[in-house]
Amino acid sequence: MSFASPIDLAALALFAPIGMALLLAAIPGLRRHGWPAAWLSVATALCTLIVSILLLLRVDVDSGPWVATTTWLRESGGTVASVGLRVDGISSTMLVIVALVATAVQVFSLGYMKQEPPSAVGRYFTYHSLFVFSMNLLVLAPNLLQFFAGWELVGLTSYLLIGFYYQKPSAGHAAVKAFWVTKFADMGLLVALLVLFATSYDFGFDVVLDPPTAIIVTLLMFLAVMGKSAQFPLHVWLPNAMEGPTPVSALLHAATMVAAGVYLLVRAFPLFQQAPVTLEFMLWVGSFTALFAAVVAVVQTDIKRVLAYSTCSQLGYMVAAVGAGSAFAGYFHLTTHAFFKALLFLAAGTVIHTVHSNELSKMGGLWRRMPITAVTFIVGALALVGIPGFSGFFSKDLILEAVAEKEQIGPLAFLVAGAFLTAFYMGRVVLLAFFGEQSPKAQHAHESGPSMTLPLLGLAVGAAVVGWFGTPLSGLLGQSYEFHWGTVGGIATLLGIAGLVLSYLVYGNHQLHPDRSVVLRQLAALARSGLVDQFYARLFHGAVIPLARIVGWVDRYLVDGVMNLTAWVALRASRRLQLVQTGNVLDYVFAVIAGVVLLAVWRIWA
Amino acid sequence: MTLSMCLYLGAALMCIGIYGVLTRKNAIGVLLSVEAMANSVNVNLVAMSRYFGGTTGQLFAIFVMTITVAEVAVGLALVILFYRALQHTTLDEATQLRH
Amino acid sequence: MLELVGFGIIASVATVAAVAVVLWRNLVHSVLWLAVLLLATAALFILLGASFLGGIQIMLYAGGVVTLMLFAIMLTRRRGGVGVENETAPQRRLPALLVSGTLFAAMAWAIHQTDGLPTEPQVPIQTSDLGFAFLSDHVLAFEVLSVLLLAATIGAIVIARRRDFGDAGPVRPMRAGRARIVRGRAR
């Protein structure tokens, strides 16, 4: 197809969503009736998807990246900052992922949000279009500055969508918490940008820096990634983010937004390569998060929370992969994860929708009543666990091999243990939700309409199959990847199967009882205690609030004080000056003549 | 009798007139002083005309006289109006312009 | 020589008269001293050869203006029959003295500094020359002057005519600051 250049297609993918969002924002009528906004937004998403696929077909690693920029900030010496589009293998694939999952989620939402009032529906879809735009802005960014803009916008959209049910106080708190934690982390990216610019006058992704600067910049950038991609200890917002509607959780907090952090790592990998210290740090943080989150996921009772912690854990895998030096491994896992995690969330969404509860205890034996959902969920779960053949297997295997190459025992052990636990908790969820006895609430469960089941089926196909496209994907990124069996991969697979078996023994067969184990009970109590949150709360009350008080005092008495002082001086001076106005006309005459005389004298003598 | 002597006289009369304008409380008194000032100007003009030749000086003096007369007329009309409003002509007591 | 004596007498009379105008307590006497000053000036004009000017000085000034002033004084006597006040404000005396003194010093110094002031008078001009100048070189000024006189006449009439304000009476009452009839210092 030669009717449009890649840049044109990319521009269309970028501007169509924002056009729709602005349209919906500007015309309240569309939003108030809800469903027009919904259909328009879905249509836009579909359009973006088609455009992205066309774009992907045009991209070829040999034909080089297409970059189109225009100057944004100018200085006498030259351009300070520019904005534009960068189309290459990474951005075009990410574009497809975003568009695909966004379309699936929006179609799903058509069914999921049916009971909501129309004005809420309108608002919902406006936010969705805004999100797609923000994500594309980030993906197509040619430099870090525009990337940061997209990053912040995505954070804003996340806030808006988490707090969608704003009448619920918990939703509002969750939205604010997400915003605060990620905003704190974003400071890292901002300072990194400043340092980068100050030292090298360039916002590019591949600037060459001297080692100390490189370490500072990359560590700061990783701070932002820790926030956005929920790595320990900045992961605390992600479980709370489940307050938002489930399709939102699927899109933002599983497939795309949280993946933006990993996307940054991959994009700016040339920068990170210059700082091995940071890479090491990333490896440890990522692998620890992977294990930690998996442990916490085992004891959750809310199905969305299990999936949230699972996301957290899988992001840890991606971060660890990049830390181990293989940006492709991280990116590959990002791709596969987007499919199966979104699938899992949406399937969970249908369950929640019919059972009217998030709790696993309220579910059970649903496979009879919701067969399509059950099958697709199981497909997603198998992909997540890494069963050979499914997509997650290939990407997880690659990560483990990359870490193994680094010969770091600690991270490797964490990741492998995490694989075992992943299998365990997913088996637990599947068994508790879809098998076993039916709870009273589950009696009313039924399969949902096509708007909700079709996306599930589509994503299930993706989750099953995407893993086989590893080689072409790597080609687009300029690398060559071929699958082969390795020792570590084999061990991990075996552990995965073991984990599934164990979960069956505990939750399926009831041969083993978790309550019998003291260790497990302690662990469960610890996981539920929310220690990290308490630490943050204490920090806030101890440090942030007193600091805010001081700043407030300065503002009231110093800053405002100067203003008040000026006003007071003006008043006093004017009162004094008023005395000149005696009202006696002869005094005024005196003044005039005295002035004239003065002028004359000055004229004569000067 | 030199020109400078006449000029000195004019200057002296002018300054005496200024003193009067600044000091007098009565409106008519002020107008009297203004008259004295205008008169001193005429002295200067005529003296200049005599010593430098030409008609300009005297011509100008006629202008000044005419205008001064007109000004006195209008000024006195204003004084009468003032008197009608406040029943006196002492400018010092007219402090309505005060806040 | 004779000229010089004449000038000396006229100058002294004029100066004394001017001082009297500004300092005399009785307003009517002040006006009369103004008449003296104007007459002295007229004498000076004649001495300087400007006989026409001297003539109009007597007619217009010493005659017209002084008469106008006297009329005005008569029409604006303070109610209650108190004598017309004509004191000078004590608080302004010193500053006024300073100002006029400064000005006189400056002007005297300027006159003193100027070189080339002629000491011999020129031929006195004829009145006919004056007339010619009026109606040829300066005819525009002449005409404008006529308009000015007209404007002044009309203006004076308009300003000072009596107006009837209906219920409020022929004189518009003042709101604030009623005149306080006090003796001595004004408040």
Side-chain angles (χ1 to χ4, degrees):
Chain A
M1 268 151 281
S2 54
F3 69 96
S5 74
I7 291 295
D8 292 334
L9 290 173
L12 189 59
L14 182 63
F15 290 113
I18 188 63
M20 180 52 54
L22 286 174
L23 181 71
L24 292 176
I27 305 181
L30 284 173
R31 274 182 285 126
R32 251 184 261 125
H33 296 293
W35 297 105
W39 287 106
L40 282 173
S41 187
V42 170
T44 312
L46 206 54
C47 174
T48 311
L49 177 60
I50 295 172
V51 167
S52 311
I53 294 178
L54 288 175
L55 185 59
L56 183 62
L57 294 172
R58 303 278 305 272
V59 170
D60 176 357
V61 71
D62 298 323
S63 55
W66 288 274
V67 183
T69 58
T70 162
T71 311
W72 177 31
L73 297 172
R74 202 188 294 272
E75 207 186 38
S76 55
T79 306
V80 167
S82 54
V83 293
L85 303 165
R86 182 194 166 101
V87 179
D88 57 10
I90 308 179
S91 56
S92 55
T93 44
M94 192 71 183
L95 219 53
V96 170
I97 295 172
V98 171
L100 192 63
V101 179
T103 311
V105 163
Q106 288 196 26
V107 171
F108 184 87
S109 304
L110 290 174
Y112 190 79
M113 305 293 274
K114 249 201 198 117
Q115 277 112 0
E116 297 289 330
S119 58
V121 170
R123 184 165 54 101
Y124 178 82
F125 280 98
T126 314
Y127 292 159
H128 261 289
S129 284
L130 183 64
F131 171 76
V132 175
F133 165 71
S134 317
M135 203 64 206
N136 287 354
L137 187 69
L138 186 161
V139 167
L140 290 166
N143 55 42
L144 275 167
L145 194 62
Q146 182 175 330
F147 184 89
F148 183 63
W151 183 273
E152 292 292 319
L153 258 180
V154 167
L156 170 70
T157 332
S158 165
Y159 165 82
L160 291 172
L161 283 167
I162 294 175
F164 180 73
Y165 298 119
Y166 58 88
Q167 287 96 352
K168 269 204 301 176
S170 55
H173 293 151
V176 169
K177 183 175 176 181
F179 201 69
W180 274 48
V181 175
T182 49
K183 182 60 68 183
F184 166 73
D186 293 345
M187 288 297 107
L189 187 52
L190 184 62
V191 177
L193 282 182
L194 294 175
V195 172
L196 184 65
F197 192 74
T199 51
S200 59
Y201 224 71
D202 186 0
F203 284 114
F205 289 114
D206 46 8
V207 177
V208 175
L209 302 164
D210 56 349
T213 319
I215 295 179
I216 295 174
V217 169
T218 50
L219 274 178
L220 287 168
M221 279 168 61
F222 183 58
L223 178 64
V225 171
M226 280 169 74
K228 189 71 93 184
S229 298
Q231 299 298 294
F232 184 89
L234 295 172
H235 64 284
V236 289
W237 65 273
L238 193 55
N240 290 89
M242 299 296 114
E243 294 282 341
T246 310
V248 167
S249 308
L251 181 59
L252 268 72
H253 306 120
T256 45
M257 190 193 92
V258 293
V262 180
Y263 186 78
L264 174 62
L265 292 179
V266 173
R267 253 280 185 250
F269 196 61
L271 279 176
F272 283 91
Q273 275 177 316
Q274 299 174 46
V277 174
T278 313
L279 290 176
E280 179 99 7
F281 183 61
M282 279 163 53
L283 180 59
W284 281 91
V285 170
S287 50
F288 177 74
T289 306
L291 179 60
F292 170 79
V295 168
V296 177
V298 170
V299 294
Q300 295 300 317
T301 56
D302 179 331
I303 190 172
K304 281 180 76 172
R305 292 233 165 174
V306 175
L307 293 176
Y309 281 107
S310 170
T311 306
C312 194
S313 170
Q314 295 302 305
L315 288 167
Y317 275 92
M318 295 180 221
V319 167
V322 179
S326 170
F328 175 67
Y331 193 69
F332 191 19
H333 200 57
L334 194 161
T335 316
T336 59
H337 178 263
F339 282 97
F340 59 69
K341 198 39 78 59
L343 169 64
L344 285 170
F345 264 107
L346 290 184
T350 51
V351 172
I352 294 171
H353 199 215
T354 55
V355 176
H356 301 293
S357 165
N358 287 15
E359 296 291 319
L360 284 170
S361 53
K362 302 279 191 300
M363 307 172 193
L366 288 171
W367 71 272
R368 268 181 238 109
R369 299 194 167 268
M370 312 173 70
I372 303 180
T373 309
V375 166
T376 50
F377 192 92
I378 292 174
V379 167
L382 291 175
L384 173 55
V385 169
I387 296 300
F390 292 90
S391 55
F393 166 70
F394 296 99
S395 52
K396 195 178 283 194
D397 180 80
L398 186 59
I399 295 178
L400 291 171
E401 283 197 18
V403 174
E405 250 175 67
K406 277 279 165 175
E407 292 175 13
Q408 299 260 26
I409 293 296
L412 191 60
F414 289 163
L415 292 177
V416 169
F420 172 73
L421 286 174
T422 308
F424 183 71
Y425 67 67
M426 281 317 291
R428 170 174 175 262
V429 170
V430 168
L431 289 167
L432 283 180
F434 293 100
F435 296 95
E437 301 163 11
Q438 275 192 358
S439 74
K441 272 219 169 147
Q443 307 268 358
H444 308 287
H446 58 88
E447 195 66 79
S448 312
S451 66
M452 288 164 78
T453 46
L454 280 179
L456 289 181
L457 290 171
L459 286 174
V461 168
V465 148
V466 161
W468 296 94
F469 289 95
T471 319
L473 183 67
S474 71
L476 281 174
L477 269 69
Q479 313 215 342
S480 56
Y481 156 76
E482 298 261 341
F483 174 70
H484 52 272
W485 278 101
T487 350
V488 187
I491 296 177
T493 314
L494 286 174
L495 280 175
I497 297 176
L500 286 177
V501 168
L502 187 64
S503 69
Y504 179 74
L505 287 177
V506 176
Y507 295 102
N509 242 350
H510 302 288
Q511 297 242 341
L512 301 173
H513 292 279
D515 301 332
R516 294 258 191 89
S517 161
V518 176
V519 171
L520 278 181
R521 266 206 307 250
Q522 296 282 36
L523 214 57
L526 196 65
R528 276 192 272 260
S529 68
L531 266 181
V532 186
D533 274 323
Q534 281 175 13
F535 168 72
Y536 284 134
R538 260 203 227 117
L539 186 67
F540 186 72
H541 283 290
V544 175
I545 294 204
L547 188 64
R549 284 222 184 90
I550 293 176
V551 172
W553 184 91
V554 167
D555 183 46
R556 261 196 308 280
Y557 290 103
L558 293 184
V559 175
D560 283 352
V562 169
M563 297 306 308
N564 292 344
L565 187 69
T566 317
W568 180 84
V569 166
L571 266 172
R572 289 295 291 264
S574 81
R575 286 239 172 86
R576 291 286 159 78
L577 280 175
Q578 228 172 23
L579 296 174
V580 171
Q581 305 276 339
T582 61
N584 190 336
V585 69
L586 292 174
D587 286 339
Y588 300 159
V589 167
F590 186 98
V592 169
I593 292 186
V596 168
V597 167
L598 255 126
L599 273 173
V601 168
W602 173 64
R603 202 67 193 81
I604 292 176
W605 259 326
Chain B
M1 181 168 72
T2 67
L3 178 59
S4 43
M5 284 198 270
C6 294
L7 293 182
Y8 281 125
L9 177 63
L13 292 177
M14 166 68 89
C15 292
I16 294 172
I18 287 182
Y19 179 82
V21 168
L22 293 174
T23 320
R24 282 294 199 188
K25 284 192 297 187
N26 193 312
I28 299 185
V30 172
L31 276 173
L32 282 177
S33 310
V34 172
E35 264 310 301
M37 284 165 72
N39 190 61
S40 75
V41 171
N42 275 0
V43 165
N44 259 25
L45 282 170
V46 171
M48 296 278 196
S49 168
R50 176 74 156 117
Y51 282 85
F52 284 108
T55 58
T56 317
Q58 294 191 20
L59 206 61
F60 230 84
I62 297 181
F63 289 161
V64 171
M65 263 190 243
T66 318
I67 293 171
T68 312
V69 166
E71 163 245 320
V72 164
V74 175
L76 286 173
L78 283 171
V79 168
I80 291 182
L81 197 62
F82 181 85
Y83 169 79
R84 283 218 202 105
L86 292 170
Q87 310 306 315
H88 67 85
T89 53
T90 312
L91 290 174
D92 257 358
E93 288 175 19
T95 54
Q96 278 80 12
L97 281 177
R98 220 191 149 109
H99 64 94
Chain C
M1 183 60 204
L2 201 62
E3 264 193 353
L4 200 54
V5 171
F7 177 77
I9 297 175
I10 292 175
S12 3
V13 169
T15 315
V16 168
V19 172
V21 166
V22 302
L23 288 182
W24 210 261
R25 287 210 164 193
N26 189 321
L27 190 57
V28 177
H29 290 184
S30 252
V31 176
L32 295 177
W33 277 111
L34 180 71
V36 170
L37 172 62
L38 296 173
L39 287 172
T41 315
L44 181 60
F45 286 170
I46 295 173
L47 188 63
L48 286 171
S51 40
F52 179 64
L53 238 66
I56 7 178
Q57 171 89 349
I58 296 176
M59 280 197 300
L60 278 185
Y61 270 169
V65 171
V66 168
T67 315
L68 268 181
M69 295 277 190
L70 288 172
F71 266 121
I73 292 172
M74 283 195 295
L75 288 172
T76 57
R77 302 186 125 232
R78 204 183 260 275
R79 294 275 166 82
V82 183
V84 181
E85 293 174 348
N86 202 18
E87 293 160 343
T88 57
Q91 74 270 24
R92 286 201 291 270
R93 281 187 205 144
L94 188 55
L97 201 58
L98 277 171
V99 168
S100 47
T102 315
L103 187 62
F104 182 72
M107 286 202 280
W109 185 83
I111 297 169
H112 185 74
Q113 286 293 97
T114 312
D115 308 321
L117 286 177
T119 49
E120 291 307 318
Q122 306 286 336
V123 175
I125 58 169
Q126 307 283 30
T127 311
S128 52
D129 292 334
L130 210 54
F132 269 129
F134 244 122
L135 291 172
S136 58
D137 292 330
H138 300 92
V139 66
L140 180 62
F142 178 64
E143 301 298 337
V144 171
L145 225 46
S146 329
V147 175
L148 173 73
L149 284 174
L150 179 65
T153 314
I154 297 177
I157 295 173
V158 167
I159 289 173
R161 70 183 165 154
R162 281 195 167 255
R163 270 168 278 188
D164 204 341
F165 286 99
D167 294 332
V171 177
R172 192 202 316 186
M174 289 285 291
R175 276 182 304 121
R178 253 346 251 181
R180 279 162 296 183
I181 300 175
V182 291
R183 281 192 164 270
R185 272 175 83 103
R187 301 286 158 75

